[in-house]
Amino acid sequence: MILILKNKATDGQIDHVLARVEELGLQHHLSRGTHRTIVGIIGDEDKLREEPLRAISGVAEVIPVLPPFKLASIDAHPDPSVIDVSGVKIGGGNLGMIAGPCSVEEPDRMFRIAESVAESGANLFRGGAYKPRTSPYAFQGTGEDGLKLLREVGDKFSMPVVTEVTDPRLVELVAGYADMLQVGARNMQNFALLTEVGKTKRPVLLKRGMSATITDLLMCAEYILSQGNPNVVLCERGIKSFDPSTRNLFDVAAVPMVHSLSHLPIIVDPSHATGRPDLIPACALAGIAAGADGVHVEVHDCPEVAKSDGPQALLPEQYAELAGQMRKMAELLGKQISPLPETLV
Amino acid sequence: MILILKNKATDGQIDHVLARVEELGLQHHLSRGTHRTIVGIIGDEDKLREEPLRAISGVAEVIPVLPPFKLASIDAHPDPSVIDVSGVKIGGGNLGMIAGPCSVEEPDRMFRIAESVAESGANLFRGGAYKPRTSPYAFQGTGEDGLKLLREVGDKFSMPVVTEVTDPRLVELVAGYADMLQVGARNMQNFALLTEVGKTKRPVLLKRGMSATITDLLMCAEYILSQGNPNVVLCERGIKSFDPSTRNLFDVAAVPMVHSLSHLPIIVDPSHATGRPDLIPACALAGIAAGADGVHVEVHDCPEVAKSDGPQALLPEQYAELAGQMRKMAELLGKQISPLPETLV
Amino acid sequence: MILILKNKATDGQIDHVLARVEELGLQHHLSRGTHRTIVGIIGDEDKLREEPLRAISGVAEVIPVLPPFKLASIDAHPDPSVIDVSGVKIGGGNLGMIAGPCSVEEPDRMFRIAESVAESGANLFRGGAYKPRTSPYAFQGTGEDGLKLLREVGDKFSMPVVTEVTDPRLVELVAGYADMLQVGARNMQNFALLTEVGKTKRPVLLKRGMSATITDLLMCAEYILSQGNPNVVLCERGIKSFDPSTRNLFDVAAVPMVHSLSHLPIIVDPSHATGRPDLIPACALAGIAAGADGVHVEVHDCPEVAKSDGPQALLPEQYAELAGQMRKMAELLGKQISPLPETLV
Amino acid sequence: MILILKNKATDGQIDHVLARVEELGLQHHLSRGTHRTIVGIIGDEDKLREEPLRAISGVAEVIPVLPPFKLASIDAHPDPSVIDVSGVKIGGGNLGMIAGPCSVEEPDRMFRIAESVAESGANLFRGGAYKPRTSPYAFQGTGEDGLKLLREVGDKFSMPVVTEVTDPRLVELVAGYADMLQVGARNMQNFALLTEVGKTKRPVLLKRGMSATITDLLMCAEYILSQGNPNVVLCERGIKSFDPSTRNLFDVAAVPMVHSLSHLPIIVDPSHATGRPDLIPACALAGIAAGADGVHVEVHDCPEVAKSDGPQALLPEQYAELAGQMRKMAELLGKQISPLPETLV
């Protein structure tokens, strides 16, 4: 930790700063420059991080030298983590290809879409049973019935299923049906929810919040990891920007950035990132080229009647074409798409 | 609702669009322009809003003509709402002045700060017992003990208390102690939590999320209102921006914008909006000048040992000076700061 | 300047860093922490700032301790600058009230609007003769004829005039007619233009770019000051944001932030910041409450036929009402609106 | 153009709106909905675009149905444009690979870097002679001497050269030396400069401003095209964002978005977009995967002594490795990297 003192910090203020550092059981290293005095603090930065050092009189700035996350850090675990979702691997050269409708809908449709995306090469099936909707009047999902149906579909095709959980009270219920728990962008910093999913052993798909920095995202992963659940897959799904022509802004550089800081896999979700089917294929391929450990795409066979997010869904045949392109790009990069397991583990 | 069709929309596509509108029981109004065909849809826009019209082949854009919120809308309630927090009024010319430390800390300190801010003119006392912290290793609050202490402090000074609730499972507990429930910025779109606070009758202080538009904020208020709780006070507390020199960006125009769209009161929180004590007074006064229905300021008597947010706290004497300036500005604008009630209602 | 070295910086890398600092004629101060090594560099930071220190192998981060601007800095000039625009003062307790149409239009209209805003208390008249338009097909201004008319209007009412200059080739021409030169937001970093206006002695109204940080803005002021022209007034006119409901986002905290860093005056422009007449009064008052040294408002007597920016213009009677409110707020804060001079200086 | 009228628009206001439309020689189409009245205007939208319709009393919103650019629009020119830069093609399946140092530096270094990047497969050489620097005290470039050197280097390796022009007064001079003129991000809306480069026939590399929407970018291209110069190549180089961990935010979705709206080629510049050498390769490959028509990378053989932007430069050997990967990805997508011409055309 480095403290930069104010231009006019008095000797009394400097002494007080040093005394405060000593009180915390740490060493200091004073450096008087031409215009500013700097105090280096030597010792456990985690201890210091929680102290309101910037509130000490005479301190202008506090500059940490270490990232605030530990378990999520690449320093803690230099090799990439490989997350196993009931037999499908994500990370370390294995791509998780998540596809399916936004919401769980009627059984026939669900089986039909799942069969199609599985044939195209998807290895994880998605569908929301509890939907976080921005309007209280919008369709809120089919609840436990939806979870049951999702489970049946997954079992039939031996395809692990991913579904969102939005409420800490529902984590146990959802974890009883799903192979992977999704924490959505709006709940990324719902710490009560993160704590509960951290207490399960289910793999978690943690989506980046719309205004979260990469550090914010990794700190939320840290919440889950610190509860004892090491199975976290991150997801870049677009952030807020000033250009209204896409739903969000796809931050593809988040992929190499996460890989430079953390061992956790990161996949991309061009469906939410762009909100426009015509832009999804280019962004999906860009994600893989940037090193993503998987791609999440919403697929629906009749978008104009979808219960949610129809306007951004790909048709099954569009997904099939994209999946073929993604597979070729993965091969070029020496990566593989995990096959479906014989039976779900 | 207006549909703008694609440049090359075929007659078949146009017919399909019209048929789909009729299926939904609504009337349409076709207008063929030089370059584009437009379909006006006449009828209940709320019904239409949930339909994935943009997914219909040939549709380029869907333009709603009404705001998506109803109960929160000024059309529903043209006069400003006045929210009564245990005897202190907010809205309609009455200013709610919230002050206190970020977290509930030791009893002596709490009584001391409360006494000071009450003397300065604050009429609501704040303190967090359950803290949403970005690090799992940071101080998480004192829980129910903190709530009890906050209640004692409020009762002693006859000053209603505001505290944050972060978990739907805790709403009932917190509502048993607090006069007003705060939903924090990171939980603004925690719909499970909004639903639970909507089921109580406690006034709710709903803080704007860091990447929420004004419409997003009002939709979250709508969640609470739609559960039967009309007592919602909004709070502008800074949004994300590209300039790292302040913690967030204070969007003072949110105040008149909310007043143009909604009857709900809106207060400002310059402490979180700027994160810098030296900028708080200017922004607090700007908020009042823009028409805010109150100001939320964090105050601590020894910021360098505060359990959280010390670096952005004002000292009690700084708050006293600011409170005097705010009072004069309120008078200039013909507003009043609600006095403390004889006893809490 | 502080260098934070990489986690795994080798001794060889550290030696190279130190040697490089010595080559530049500066002293270093090494501090080995538990996890990171830090090098403090003592000496002229301006010299260092231009060196690509972050490119040295083993360096993780370079942290300057001084702001990059000097002439614009409050350290260089602790008292607020008062800029004199042909007899009207801006800064140090004097408010510059700029009003007028977006573009210079027909003579009758110009005299009429000027008379009205002068009566209301405006002390600077604005109008654009060279318009930076986002469309090449839009009205581009009336050029030198517009300048002549503007001059006549200013002389008639003894009201200094402000007009935009967009091209370094036109600076001399425009400076021959105008009392104050405006550099618009889109040209804030047009360094050729800044250099030319810096060579005149005309006061300059420098508008903040839509994605400029406060430091960026002050560096552009530094360009002008470094050419020998000390007469710079800054202007906050809204920045880019994710919420499309206003044209830009009004960053009122820029006002106290500039005052904490610089001696230069800063005014606010709620017309461009919001683009909505109904929000202008609240934002104008917020600006003054935050300490702004003036307010810039577009006024037109028939917005629906204005040559540019009609939809954001106030009517003369709306301006009159607002001007009265601004005057009262200025008095409350102990400030004054500079009266019009007897004759232009 | 569609006008949405205010909730309480009176009959008088509606009549006035219709009369105003008729005055402009256009037809209207009135549609009274349950809550709002809508006026469709039929006729030349370009004519209407410049009218301040939103300023008419009773009008709530004005919604254009056509994009504001014409010459740049894909409607005007459905096939992708192929820009020929002295024999090197960009667009329509041909990739322009621009590489070189940020600034023109000493001759030896320039020849050395150029030779290396040409061998790696770059087909355009870059180097700035006039540098737009954010500090007036920073290195400003070597001016005409730099241009001469750049020309010599280009001629020696038969490699067309790209260099930035920052001042309308210098366009003719720079066009006398360079094969392609770069308009930098900070000058994207320098309309005087756009007009001057539009009067030459030199291909122009137009970089997206840091807060420009795609529409803003295409309008600036329209400025150049409307002057008679059809040779415009766009460049995505990162936009402003709230995450300070990269210099800018790389908006890879801009590539397919531009391709959906315009026939102009668009390349990506991961050097400026990220500012971090470790992220450049992933972002360069992502750009090609997304369909970019080329990649711009800064290369320097000794970044720690570079005159500008050293910390973001790749070493020649790093560029060689990346160029090999980019070539393989281009082949996978059925594209080719234009070879260097025998002699410059």
Side-chain angles (χ1 to χ4, degrees), chain B residues 82-91 94-98 123-125 151 158-163 177-182 201-205 229-234 265 267 293 338-345:
Chain B
V82 179
I83 308 301
D84 186 313
V85 186
S86 303
V88 168
K89 289 184 167 39
I90 305 179
N94 304 287
L95 300 186
M97 305 306 259
I98 304 176
N123 51 21
L124 289 149
F125 188 61
R151 184 69 273 153
S158 186
M159 201 179 184
V161 296
V162 190
T163 198
Y177 290 101
D179 298 287
M180 186 177 213
L181 304 173
Q182 177 182 314
K201 295 293 172 231
R202 286 281 176 218
V204 178
L205 181 64
N229 184 348
N231 301 307
V232 177
V233 174
L234 307 171
I267 70 167
D293 301 294
S338 254
L340 291 181
E342 287 292 306
T343 51
L344 295 184
V345 188

Side-chain angles (χ1 to χ4, degrees), chain A residues 154-166:
Chain A
D155 287 343
K156 168 143 189 201
F157 298 105
S158 185
M159 202 177 186
V161 296
V162 191
T163 198
E164 181 161 0
V165 58
T166 57

Side-chain angles (χ1 to χ4, degrees), chain A residues 208 210-214 239 242-243 245-246 249-253 256-257 260 276 279 282-283 285-286 289-290 329 332, chain D residues 208 210-214 239 242-243 245-246 249-253 256-257 260 276 279 282-283 285-286 289-290 329 332:
Chain A
R208 180 181 181 188
M210 281 162 285
S211 61
T213 64
I214 298 301
I239 56 175
F242 56 80
D243 193 336
S245 54
T246 47
L249 188 98
F250 179 44
D251 178 12
V252 77
M257 182 117 60
S260 76
R276 282 177 43 176
L279 305 180
C283 290
L285 293 170
M329 189 159 288
L332 180 71
Chain D
R208 180 181 181 188
M210 281 162 285
S211 61
T213 64
I214 298 300
I239 56 175
F242 56 80
D243 192 338
S245 54
T246 49
L249 188 99
F250 179 43
D251 179 11
V252 76
M257 183 116 61
S260 76
R276 282 178 43 176
L279 304 180
C283 291
L285 294 170
M329 190 159 287
L332 179 72

Side-chain angles (χ1 to χ4, degrees), chain D residues 174-193:
Chain D
V174 178
Y177 290 101
D179 298 286
M180 186 175 212
L181 303 173
Q182 178 183 314
V183 174
R186 288 179 183 76
N187 280 311
M188 188 194 83
Q189 291 189 316
N190 181 337
F191 303 118
L193 182 63

Side-chain angles (χ1 to χ4, degrees), chain B residues 99-130:
Chain B
C102 181
S103 294
V104 175
E105 304 194 11
E106 326 78 275
D108 278 6
R109 189 182 301 285
M110 296 301 285
F111 283 103
R112 203 159 58 228
I113 300 176
E115 183 168 21
S116 163
V117 297
E119 274 174 19
S120 299
N123 51 21
L124 289 149
F125 188 61
R126 67 146 286 134
Y130 296 93

Side-chain angles (χ1 to χ4, degrees), chain D residues 48-296:
Chain D
L48 271 177
R49 198 181 299 282
E50 299 313 317
E51 295 294 329
L53 300 170
R54 192 160 60 81
I56 304 176
S57 178
V59 173
E61 267 185 275
V62 176
I63 298 166
V65 298
L66 295 179
F69 42 84
K70 290 184 287 191
L71 302 173
S73 165
I74 200 163
D75 291 336
H77 189 305
D79 292 323
S81 284
V82 180
I83 308 303
D84 187 312
V85 185
S86 304
V88 167
K89 289 182 167 40
I90 305 179
N94 304 287
L95 299 186
M97 304 306 259
I98 304 177
C102 181
S103 292
V104 176
E105 303 194 11
E106 327 77 275
D108 279 6
R109 189 183 299 286
M110 296 301 285
F111 283 102
R112 204 158 59 229
I113 299 174
E115 184 168 22
S116 163
V117 297
E119 274 173 19
S120 299
N123 53 21
L124 289 150
F125 188 62
R126 68 147 284 133
Y130 296 93
K131 302 298 305 169
R133 303 307 300 279
T134 49
S135 167
Y137 311 118
F139 173 68
Q140 305 281 325
T142 51
E144 191 169 358
D145 288 345
L147 293 178
K148 284 181 187 160
L149 174 54
L150 196 65
R151 184 68 272 151
E152 282 176 47
V153 174
D155 288 343
K156 167 142 188 200
F157 299 104
S158 186
M159 201 177 185
V161 296
V162 191
T163 198
E164 181 162 0
V165 58
T166 58
D167 187 328
R169 296 167 296 188
L170 294 172
V171 169
E172 201 178 323
L173 177 75
V174 178
Y177 290 101
D179 298 286
M180 186 175 212
L181 303 173
Q182 178 183 314
V183 174
R186 288 179 183 76
N187 280 311
M188 188 194 83
Q189 291 189 316
N190 181 337
F191 303 118
L193 182 63
L194 296 177
T195 301
E196 288 304 317
V197 300
K199 288 179 186 161
T200 76
K201 295 293 171 232
R202 286 281 178 220
V204 178
L205 181 65
L206 177 64
K207 300 191 108 181
R208 180 181 181 188
M210 281 162 285
S211 61
T213 64
I214 298 300
T215 298
D216 291 338
L217 174 61
L218 289 170
M219 284 309 287
C220 291
E222 187 84 8
Y223 256 91
I224 301 171
L225 299 174
S226 70
Q227 293 295 325
N229 184 348
N231 301 307
V232 176
V233 175
L234 307 170
C235 181
E236 160 59 31
R237 44 77 74 207
I239 56 175
K240 284 277 180 174
S241 163
F242 56 80
D243 192 338
S245 54
T246 49
R247 185 167 167 177
N248 291 293
L249 188 99
F250 179 43
D251 179 11
V252 76
V255 173
M257 183 116 61
V258 162
H259 285 157
S260 76
L261 294 168
S262 178
H263 53 93
L264 296 173
I266 176 165
I267 71 167
V268 295
D269 170 0
S271 301
H272 287 86
T274 67
R276 282 178 43 176
D278 60 325
L279 304 180
I280 291 172
C283 291
L285 294 170
I288 294 181
D293 300 296
V295 178
H296 171 286

